[in-house]
Amino acid sequence: MTPGDDEARIRAALAEAHREDRTPAFDSVWTAAEGGRPVRRPARRWIALSAGLAAAAAVAVWMVTRPPPATGWHPTGTRWVGPTDFLLQTPDLVTLRTLPPLDPAADPLANPPPARRGLP
Amino acid sequence: MAPRDLEQQIAALHPASFAWALACTRWNSTEAEEVLQSVYLSILEGRSRFDGRSTFKTWLFSVVRNMAARARRRHWLTSRVPWRLGGAEPDPDPLDALASRQRGDRIRRALGQLPARQREVLDLVFFHEMSVEDAASVMGVGLGTARTHYHRGKLRLLELLGSEDLR
């Protein structure tokens, strides 16, 4: 099939698509336009849409500007305890919680050793 | 241009303008008439003015196309509003409404499957006998872009039409 054939087919297709066009009378369309009364969507819908958008904007502003929740309050259930935590409760835990007492005499920081002589 | 001359020129192009409006609205005749009425109102009110930089037909078609695009955006928006207030008329798919009718329906359905710009350039060139340059001007795109849509549209439409004999 040649490009000319293809174009003829498309031309025929477009003619066929437009064959049933029912063109309204020019005068009726022109007169309606002159009267300034084109078929338009009811304004009520736009008013409702605007009101909805304004309400959504107000809610968004309120959510952004509202004061933060009072501190000191914690939601319940936020402290999670693992089911195996009891394994950490060993008898040695008591001894590990306090530091063992040290002999002050043996503290090298409290009693530094005397400086050695003869050395640079 | 004198108002009387303007009206005469518009009247002479009225059938072609309506056909073009149909192509821009996917053959929704109610919407096409609305679009045309809005176009005429826009011209009468001086919001659309012919500046002589193109032919009158090219200019008028570009106004029709812009108005159809605006109507399409408006319909797109209102069809997504979750509530419908009084007076909302049913907005059936024009292609579905025409279903099961002859060959013209199948062709319109095939055309409806094309992207808008491909459909528009084919309609302007093959039905309205415009050059691709003028079609580009009507569509508000560059010549190269219009040529691309033209070639892709031809291939796609031929593919969609299949072996149907149209002559």
Side-chain angles (χ1 to χ4, degrees):
Chain A
M1 189 169 281
T2 67
D5 290 339
D6 287 343
E7 294 191 354
R9 287 192 74 210
I10 294 172
R11 201 176 298 278
L14 265 301
E16 186 71 35
H18 280 284
R19 198 165 57 85
E20 294 176 7
D21 290 358
R22 299 279 180 267
T23 309
F26 171 73
D27 287 339
S28 67
V29 182
W30 185 258
T31 307
E34 274 183 327
R37 47 181 175 86
V39 182
R40 289 174 189 266
R41 302 287 172 204
R44 280 184 295 171
R45 259 189 278 176
W46 291 107
I47 293 168
L49 182 64
S50 305
L53 288 174
V59 168
V61 167
W62 175 78
M63 289 180 74
V64 169
T65 59
R66 69 177 169 170
T71 55
W73 175 86
H74 300 286
T76 55
T78 54
R79 186 171 179 277
W80 182 79
V81 178
T84 55
D85 274 9
F86 72 93
L87 294 173
L88 299 174
Q89 304 297 323
T90 60
D92 292 342
L93 199 62
V94 177
T95 58
L96 288 175
R97 277 181 180 152
T98 56
L99 287 172
L102 296 174
D103 180 8
D107 187 357
L109 295 175
N111 302 301
R116 291 160 64 182
R117 292 181 181 177
L119 290 174
Chain B
M1 188 182 290
R4 187 68 197 154
D5 294 342
L6 185 70
E7 185 181 337
Q8 281 179 350
Q9 289 215 44
I10 291 173
L13 286 169
H14 178 68
S17 300
F18 183 72
W20 171 234
L22 278 175
C24 291
T25 57
R26 301 178 78 203
W27 275 271
N28 183 326
S29 57
T30 307
E31 199 178 323
E33 190 173 342
E34 279 183 37
V35 165
L36 215 51
Q37 200 171 315
S38 299
V39 168
Y40 293 168
L41 180 67
S42 167
I43 293 170
L44 281 166
E45 289 181 346
R47 283 182 282 127
S48 303
R49 290 168 192 259
F50 176 55
D51 56 9
R53 282 188 295 178
S54 60
T55 65
F56 188 80
K57 182 179 177 182
T58 302
W59 169 75
L60 184 60
F61 274 33
S62 65
V63 178
V64 171
R65 183 181 182 275
N66 291 339
M67 204 62 79
R70 194 178 300 175
R72 198 163 52 236
R73 282 195 294 272
R74 195 172 60 222
H75 287 185
W76 182 88
L77 186 66
T78 52
S79 67
R80 275 152 184 78
V81 174
W83 62 89
R84 294 229 175 196
L85 300 179
E89 63 273 48
D91 193 6
D93 185 344
L95 299 178
D96 286 347
L98 289 168
S100 74
R101 267 214 264 142
Q102 310 161 15
R103 199 165 54 182
D105 296 330
R106 289 200 297 274
I107 295 168
R108 282 189 285 271
R109 199 186 299 276
L111 285 164
Q113 290 181 42
L114 296 179
R117 285 186 171 174
Q118 291 180 14
R119 186 176 67 248
E120 288 169 3
V121 72
L122 294 184
D123 200 76
L124 290 169
V125 171
F126 289 106
F127 185 72
H128 295 284
E129 306 289 344
M130 280 189 177
S131 63
V132 180
E133 287 85 351
D134 283 345
S137 179
V138 168
M139 294 163 64
V141 298
L143 179 57
T145 306
R147 281 197 178 125
T148 303
H149 289 306
Y150 171 76
H151 289 296
R152 287 184 184 164
K154 278 201 317 185
L155 293 175
R156 180 81 180 120
L157 182 59
L158 288 169
E159 185 186 319
L160 288 168
L161 292 175
S163 59
E164 188 164 0
D165 184 18
L166 299 163
R167 283 168 290 169

